[in-house]
């Protein structure tokens, strides 16, 4: 089958856009004579027929193309859209799911599927489809491309955004309701403002130009990229265990069993370009003791004294998210590029275990501080930060997280409940938890 003449395709597009249906039909016949079943041509004819109110003809055009290519995601979408136009929810759902199976990045099919599921009374499934549609549209650039796209598509995007927002707000509100009832709204004021964007409001913004949390900004906390070790007297207990912790670390490094690249993400992930040199690289590795709040038992058994020292601390605890604790292994000549964490409600601690001479530094908000073995560094990773090892030897620190001490106990409980609720909501609907990250 020969490819159609590009000039004919341009004529067809111009005729359809101008509403010259007779000309479009004549040009399409020539194209289809050259290339029977040409999917873009039949899809264009199907769309034009549906928009003119002739859904049956729209189905016919799509089916003609599917007779040549039953796996055409483009034509399966248009068949599903035509079925939706005639209220055939079962048929529409089947065609749209087939379109997504053929091309998981078909954001249009995902948007229409959400509408079909809602109209068919499957509201929970509709939210899942819409959430996944918006994530797909963001990842592929479709959302940005459609900012000035066809009104029909922009309307579907708006519907999806409103529905997902409402469902997420409901989940978050339910999680915070018991705390609000016990303590009153005033005690949760900063938390409510922090979650404003997830409740349909306007999110507060940092005043420091280098503070850029990717998920949540709690207003009213001190603008402090670095925190002084003396503000956390309880850290003396884990510093006193430095030698014992280092001994367990050295046993881990001896065989490297369990060490994994610290950054491990799909090549098409939004953040992948920034991490290109470190993605799936052993240059920066981690040995997790806690990951997303889960104790890694095999690792914990190898490091009992480290675990005991960690568990004696007031670690940040959020179901599905914290504690996070690991040995961070930075090989010679490695530079971790500037990046930010997810929220300013937590602080990150480095307990340096192996620091070669002239190793390098950790810079937070462009202020570098060197590591000293056995002396904790405490910083807010919602500020831009980076690290480098310019020595000829490996550097290792133990990393763990604490709550920002300016938060009240009620605020900590509310943040934990809200973050867990949002994470559960996204995972339940097949999305990605926005609070999770690939690394410090």
């Amino acid at each position: 089958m020969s490819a159609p003449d590009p000039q004919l395709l341009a004529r067809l597009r111009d005729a359809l856009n101008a509403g010259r249906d007779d000309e479009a039909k004549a040009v399409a016949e020539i194209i289809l004579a050259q290339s029977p079943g040409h999917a873009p041509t039949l899809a264009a004819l199907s769309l034009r027929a549906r928009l003119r109110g002739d859904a049956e003809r729209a189905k016919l055009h799509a089916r003609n193309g599917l007779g040549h290519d039953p796996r055409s995601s483009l034509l399966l979408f248009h068949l599903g859209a035509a079925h939706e136009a005639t209220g055939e929810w079962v048929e529409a759902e089947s065609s749209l799911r087939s379109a997504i199976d053929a091309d998981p990045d078909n954001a249009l099919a995902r948007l229409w599927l959400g509408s079909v599921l809602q109209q068919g009374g499957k509201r929970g499934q509709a939210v899942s489809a819409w959430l996944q549609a918006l994530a797909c549209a963001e990842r592929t650039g479709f959302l940005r491309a459609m900012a000035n796209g066809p009104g029909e598509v922009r309307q579907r995007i708006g519907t999806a955004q409103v529905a997902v927002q409402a469902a997420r707000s409901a989940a978050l509100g339910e999680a915070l309701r018991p705390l609000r009832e016990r303590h009153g709204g005033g005690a949760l004021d900063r938390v409510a403002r922090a979650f404003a964007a997830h409740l349909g409001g306007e999110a507060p913004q940092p005043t420091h130009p280098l503070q850029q949390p990717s998920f949540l900004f709690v207003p009213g906390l001190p603008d402090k990229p670095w925190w002084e070790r003396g503000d956390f007297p309880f850290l003396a207990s884990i510093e006193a265990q430095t030698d014992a912790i280092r001994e367990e670390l050295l046993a881990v490094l001896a065989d490297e069993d369990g060490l994994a690249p610290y950054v491990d993400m799909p090549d098409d992930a939004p953040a992948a370009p920034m991490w290109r040199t470190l993605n799936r690289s052993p240059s920066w590795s981690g040995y997790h003791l806690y990951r997303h709040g889960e104790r890694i038992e095999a690792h914990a058994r190898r490091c009992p004294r480290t675990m005991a020292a960690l568990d004696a601390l007031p670690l940040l605890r959020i179901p599905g998210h914290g504690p996070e604790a690991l040995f961070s292994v930075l090989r010679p000549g490695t530079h971790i590029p500037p990046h930010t964490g997810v929220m300013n409600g937590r602080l990150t601690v480095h307990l340096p275990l192996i620091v070669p001479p002239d190793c390098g530094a950790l810079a937070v908000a462009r202020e570098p501080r060197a590591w000293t073995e056995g002396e904790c560094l405490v910083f807010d990773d919602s500020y831009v930060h980076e690290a480098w090892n310019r020595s000829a030897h490996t550097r290792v620190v133990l990393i763990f997280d604490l709550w920002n001490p300016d938060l009240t106990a009620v605020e900590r409980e509310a943040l934990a409940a809200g973050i867990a609720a949002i994470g559960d909501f996204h995972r339940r609907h097949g999305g990605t938890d926005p609070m999770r990250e690939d690394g410090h």
Side-chain angles (χ1 to χ4, degrees):
M1 181 176 66
S2 62
D5 185 336
Q7 292 184 340
L8 287 173
L9 293 174
R11 281 183 58 193
L12 174 63
R13 182 174 61 252
D14 291 343
L16 288 170
N17 289 339
R20 301 192 300 269
D21 291 341
D22 289 342
E23 180 185 350
K25 179 180 178 182
V27 174
E29 287 177 354
I30 298 172
I31 293 172
L32 294 172
Q34 294 178 353
S35 304
H38 185 246
T41 296
L42 289 164
L45 294 175
S46 179
L47 172 62
R48 182 64 182 164
R50 179 169 61 81
L51 293 179
R52 292 183 61 196
D54 190 350
E56 294 304 325
R57 183 167 294 277
K59 294 176 196 175
L60 180 62
H61 287 309
R63 288 187 179 121
N64 284 343
L66 290 167
H68 293 267
D69 181 6
R71 290 280 295 168
S72 169
S73 181
L74 177 64
L75 292 169
L76 285 164
F77 160 69
H78 282 286
L79 180 59
H83 278 304
E84 185 211 29
T86 53
E88 299 170 291
W89 315 130
V90 174
E91 294 81 358
E93 180 181 347
S94 176
S95 293
L96 293 168
R97 289 196 183 279
S98 295
I100 295 166
D101 287 342
D103 178 12
D105 286 340
N106 190 330
L108 281 174
R110 292 184 180 279
L111 286 167
W112 256 255
L113 177 61
S115 297
V116 165
L117 291 167
Q118 184 193 48
Q119 292 173 98
K122 302 176 180 179
R123 295 186 177 180
Q125 292 183 44
V127 170
S128 298
W130 275 324
L131 186 146
Q132 293 167 39
L134 293 172
C136 171
E138 179 70 32
R139 184 183 70 253
T140 60
F142 179 81
L143 202 60
R144 183 174 58 256
M146 287 296 106
N148 297 307
E152 179 186 38
V153 178
R154 286 187 284 112
Q155 182 180 25
R156 299 277 176 153
I157 291 172
T159 297
Q161 290 171 329
V162 169
V164 170
Q165 182 83 352
R168 185 168 49 220
S169 295
L172 181 56
E174 184 61 24
L176 297 180
R177 180 180 55 80
L179 286 166
R180 189 173 287 109
E181 290 176 351
R182 283 205 311 271
H183 302 285
L188 274 64
D189 177 64
R190 289 197 299 190
V191 173
R193 285 188 285 151
F195 282 125
H198 304 281
L199 293 168
E202 185 175 348
Q205 298 299 319
T207 58
H208 195 294
L210 295 178
Q211 188 173 32
Q212 303 162 7
S214 62
F215 172 65
L216 199 70
F217 175 70
V218 182
L221 297 180
D223 287 336
K224 292 172 61 174
W226 284 105
W227 289 67
E228 296 308 316
R229 160 65 184 81
D231 295 335
F232 306 90
F234 56 81
L235 290 176
S237 66
I238 196 166
E239 289 174 337
Q241 295 298 314
T242 297
D243 291 342
I245 294 170
R246 186 189 298 110
E247 183 178 343
E248 292 178 341
L249 163 68
L250 291 173
V252 169
L253 293 178
D255 58 25
E256 297 195 4
D257 183 29
L259 274 180
Y262 200 58
V263 181
D264 186 357
M265 63 179 67
D267 291 333
D268 62 352
M274 182 183 76
W275 295 107
R276 185 175 292 111
T277 59
L278 289 177
N279 195 15
R280 296 187 290 276
S281 169
S283 296
W284 184 22
S285 300
Y287 187 83
H288 280 87
L289 302 165
Y290 281 105
R291 183 63 166 158
H292 302 315
E294 296 294 329
R295 181 185 176 99
I296 310 302
E297 291 297 342
H299 295 179
R301 283 195 295 271
R302 293 191 69 182
C303 305
R305 297 186 69 178
T306 304
M307 293 302 295
L310 285 169
D311 289 339
L313 300 177
L315 301 176
L316 178 145
R317 296 183 183 274
I318 301 174
H321 300 87
E324 290 280 321
L326 73 152
F327 294 127
S328 174
V329 180
L330 199 62
R331 301 298 183 182
T334 303
H335 180 198
I336 301 171
H339 62 291
T340 59
V342 291
M343 76 163 180
N344 65 328
R346 75 175 184 190
L347 299 179
T348 300
V349 182
H350 282 193
L351 173 61
L353 300 172
I354 300 176
V355 183
D358 302 318
C359 171
L362 167 68
V364 183
R366 298 179 183 161
E367 179 188 338
R369 294 191 183 183
W371 296 282
T372 300
E373 291 183 5
E375 296 180 13
C376 286
L377 290 174
V378 185
F379 64 101
D380 182 341
D381 81 344
S382 69
Y383 290 84
V384 174
H385 59 286
E386 59 185 310
W388 54 90
N389 176 6
R390 293 174 180 160
S391 77
H393 303 280
T394 295
R395 180 237 66 178
V396 187
V397 299
L398 175 65
I399 298 179
F400 52 93
D401 294 332
L402 307 171
W403 284 108
N404 187 309
D406 199 60
L407 292 167
T408 69
V410 174
E411 287 174 328
R412 297 178 192 188
E413 188 177 356
L415 283 169
I419 290 167
I422 291 174
D424 289 344
F425 172 83
H426 279 262
R427 290 192 296 273
R428 185 169 67 252
H429 290 291
T432 301
D433 186 340
M435 179 66 179
R436 290 195 175 184
E437 56 193 335
D438 292 284
H440 279 82

